[in-house]
Short mmCIF file of all heavy atoms in Angstrom, two decimals:
data_model
loop_
_atom_site.label_atom_id
_atom_site.label_comp_id
_atom_site.label_asym_id
_atom_site.label_seq_id
_atom_site.Cartn_x
_atom_site.Cartn_y
_atom_site.Cartn_z
N GLU K 282 -2.56 5.94 -0.14
CA GLU K 282 -3.68 5.04 0.08
C GLU K 282 -3.92 4.83 1.57
O GLU K 282 -5.06 4.75 2.01
CB GLU K 282 -3.42 3.69 -0.60
CG GLU K 282 -3.49 3.75 -2.11
CD GLU K 282 -3.07 2.44 -2.75
OE1 GLU K 282 -2.22 1.72 -2.19
OE2 GLU K 282 -3.63 2.15 -3.83
N ARG K 283 -2.85 4.76 2.40
CA ARG K 283 -3.00 4.57 3.83
C ARG K 283 -3.63 5.78 4.49
O ARG K 283 -4.40 5.66 5.42
CB ARG K 283 -1.63 4.30 4.47
CG ARG K 283 -1.27 2.84 4.38
CD ARG K 283 -0.01 2.55 5.12
NE ARG K 283 0.96 2.14 4.07
CZ ARG K 283 2.18 2.54 3.96
NH1 ARG K 283 2.71 3.33 4.85
NH2 ARG K 283 2.94 2.14 2.98
N GLY K 285 -5.75 7.77 3.14
CA GLY K 285 -7.10 8.03 2.64
C GLY K 285 -7.14 9.08 1.56
O GLY K 285 -8.21 9.49 1.13
N THR K 288 -5.71 9.69 -5.42
CA THR K 288 -4.71 10.07 -6.40
C THR K 288 -5.41 10.21 -7.74
O THR K 288 -6.19 9.34 -8.13
CB THR K 288 -3.63 8.98 -6.53
OG1 THR K 288 -3.39 8.42 -5.25
CG2 THR K 288 -2.36 9.54 -7.09
N THR K 289 -5.19 11.31 -8.43
CA THR K 289 -5.77 11.53 -9.75
C THR K 289 -4.69 11.35 -10.80
O THR K 289 -3.62 11.94 -10.70
CB THR K 289 -6.36 12.95 -9.87
OG1 THR K 289 -7.28 13.15 -8.81
CG2 THR K 289 -7.04 13.14 -11.20
N ARG K 292 -3.64 12.27 -17.78
CA ARG K 292 -2.98 11.82 -19.00
C ARG K 292 -2.26 12.98 -19.67
O ARG K 292 -2.61 14.14 -19.47
CB ARG K 292 -4.01 11.24 -19.96
CG ARG K 292 -4.62 9.97 -19.46
CD ARG K 292 -5.48 9.36 -20.56
NE ARG K 292 -6.05 8.12 -20.12
CZ ARG K 292 -7.28 7.98 -19.63
NH1 ARG K 292 -8.06 9.02 -19.55
NH2 ARG K 292 -7.71 6.82 -19.25
N THR K 297 -10.17 15.12 -19.93
CA THR K 297 -10.75 13.89 -20.47
C THR K 297 -10.89 14.02 -21.98
O THR K 297 -10.77 15.11 -22.54
CB THR K 297 -12.15 13.65 -19.86
OG1 THR K 297 -13.00 14.71 -20.27
CG2 THR K 297 -12.09 13.57 -18.34
N ILE K 306 -22.68 19.37 -35.33
CA ILE K 306 -23.61 18.55 -36.09
C ILE K 306 -24.37 19.46 -37.05
O ILE K 306 -25.00 20.44 -36.62
CB ILE K 306 -24.58 17.79 -35.16
CG1 ILE K 306 -23.78 16.88 -34.22
CG2 ILE K 306 -25.59 16.99 -35.97
CD1 ILE K 306 -24.59 16.25 -33.12
N GLY K 309 -28.46 19.38 -41.68
CA GLY K 309 -28.89 18.29 -42.55
C GLY K 309 -28.84 16.93 -41.88
O GLY K 309 -29.66 16.05 -42.17
N ILE K 314 -32.17 12.43 -39.62
CA ILE K 314 -32.58 11.59 -38.49
C ILE K 314 -34.06 11.80 -38.20
O ILE K 314 -34.82 10.84 -38.03
CB ILE K 314 -31.72 11.91 -37.25
CG1 ILE K 314 -30.26 11.51 -37.48
CG2 ILE K 314 -32.28 11.21 -36.01
CD1 ILE K 314 -29.28 12.04 -36.45
N MET K 317 -36.35 10.28 -40.99
CA MET K 317 -36.46 8.82 -40.90
C MET K 317 -37.34 8.42 -39.72
O MET K 317 -38.18 7.53 -39.83
CB MET K 317 -35.06 8.19 -40.75
CG MET K 317 -34.20 8.30 -42.00
SD MET K 317 -34.88 7.48 -43.44
CE MET K 317 -34.74 5.78 -42.93
N ALA K 319 -39.74 10.15 -38.28
CA ALA K 319 -41.14 10.51 -38.53
C ALA K 319 -41.80 9.51 -39.47
O ALA K 319 -42.96 9.12 -39.28
CB ALA K 319 -41.23 11.92 -39.12
N GLY K 324 -49.35 5.76 -39.78
CA GLY K 324 -50.30 6.85 -40.01
C GLY K 324 -49.68 8.01 -40.77
O GLY K 324 -50.39 8.86 -41.29
N MET K 328 -44.08 13.01 -46.24
CA MET K 328 -43.55 14.21 -45.61
C MET K 328 -43.56 15.34 -46.64
O MET K 328 -43.31 15.11 -47.81
CB MET K 328 -42.12 13.98 -45.14
CG MET K 328 -41.95 12.85 -44.14
SD MET K 328 -42.58 13.23 -42.51
CE MET K 328 -41.46 14.53 -42.03
N SER K 333 -44.08 20.28 -52.67
CA SER K 333 -42.71 19.80 -52.46
C SER K 333 -42.58 18.33 -52.81
O SER K 333 -41.55 17.90 -53.31
CB SER K 333 -42.25 20.06 -51.02
OG SER K 333 -42.89 19.20 -50.11
N LEU K 336 -42.49 18.22 -56.74
CA LEU K 336 -41.17 18.65 -57.21
C LEU K 336 -40.11 17.62 -56.87
O LEU K 336 -39.20 17.37 -57.66
CB LEU K 336 -40.81 20.02 -56.62
CG LEU K 336 -41.64 21.20 -57.11
CD1 LEU K 336 -41.28 22.47 -56.35
CD2 LEU K 336 -41.49 21.39 -58.60
N THR K 354 -35.14 14.26 -46.29
CA THR K 354 -35.30 15.51 -45.55
C THR K 354 -36.51 16.32 -45.99
O THR K 354 -36.79 17.36 -45.39
CB THR K 354 -34.04 16.39 -45.67
OG1 THR K 354 -33.84 16.72 -47.04
CG2 THR K 354 -32.82 15.68 -45.12
N ASP K 375 -52.52 9.45 -43.17
CA ASP K 375 -53.49 8.56 -43.80
C ASP K 375 -54.88 8.87 -43.28
O ASP K 375 -55.07 9.20 -42.11
CB ASP K 375 -53.15 7.09 -43.49
CG ASP K 375 -51.88 6.64 -44.16
OD1 ASP K 375 -51.65 7.01 -45.32
OD2 ASP K 375 -51.11 5.89 -43.52
N VAL K 383 -51.18 10.59 -34.10
CA VAL K 383 -50.06 10.48 -35.03
C VAL K 383 -49.04 11.58 -34.73
O VAL K 383 -47.82 11.33 -34.66
CB VAL K 383 -50.52 10.54 -36.50
CG1 VAL K 383 -49.34 10.67 -37.44
CG2 VAL K 383 -51.33 9.30 -36.84
N ALA K 384 -49.51 12.81 -34.54
CA ALA K 384 -48.59 13.92 -34.24
C ALA K 384 -47.83 13.67 -32.95
O ALA K 384 -46.62 13.91 -32.87
CB ALA K 384 -49.37 15.24 -34.17
N VAL K 387 -45.23 10.95 -33.64
CA VAL K 387 -44.14 11.51 -34.44
C VAL K 387 -43.22 12.32 -33.54
O VAL K 387 -41.99 12.17 -33.58
CB VAL K 387 -44.67 12.38 -35.61
CG1 VAL K 387 -43.56 13.22 -36.22
CG2 VAL K 387 -45.33 11.51 -36.67
N ASN K 390 -41.17 9.97 -31.28
CA ASN K 390 -40.18 9.20 -32.04
C ASN K 390 -39.03 10.09 -32.50
O ASN K 390 -37.85 9.70 -32.43
CB ASN K 390 -40.85 8.52 -33.24
CG ASN K 390 -40.22 7.21 -33.59
OD1 ASN K 390 -39.72 6.49 -32.73
ND2 ASN K 390 -40.23 6.87 -34.86
N ARG K 397 -30.97 10.62 -28.90
CA ARG K 397 -30.12 9.43 -28.75
C ARG K 397 -28.93 9.48 -29.70
O ARG K 397 -27.80 9.19 -29.31
CB ARG K 397 -30.94 8.17 -29.01
CG ARG K 397 -30.13 6.87 -28.92
CD ARG K 397 -30.99 5.64 -29.16
NE ARG K 397 -31.78 5.69 -30.38
CZ ARG K 397 -31.31 5.39 -31.59
NH1 ARG K 397 -30.07 5.04 -31.75
NH2 ARG K 397 -32.10 5.45 -32.65
N ALA K 409 -46.84 20.34 -38.73
CA ALA K 409 -47.92 20.89 -39.55
C ALA K 409 -48.45 19.75 -40.41
O ALA K 409 -47.69 19.12 -41.14
CB ALA K 409 -47.40 22.02 -40.43
N SER K 411 -50.27 18.87 -43.52
CA SER K 411 -50.60 19.61 -44.74
C SER K 411 -51.65 18.92 -45.60
O SER K 411 -52.21 19.55 -46.49
CB SER K 411 -49.35 19.87 -45.57
OG SER K 411 -48.77 18.65 -45.97
#
Side-chain angles (χ1 to χ4, degrees):
E282 289 174 328
R283 275 186 246 135
T288 324
T289 305
R292 293 188 178 97
T297 64
I306 300 171
I314 294 168
M317 291 298 292
M328 301 287 294
S333 72
L336 292 175
T354 61
D375 292 320
V383 170
V387 166
N390 212 32
R397 178 179 52 81
S411 62

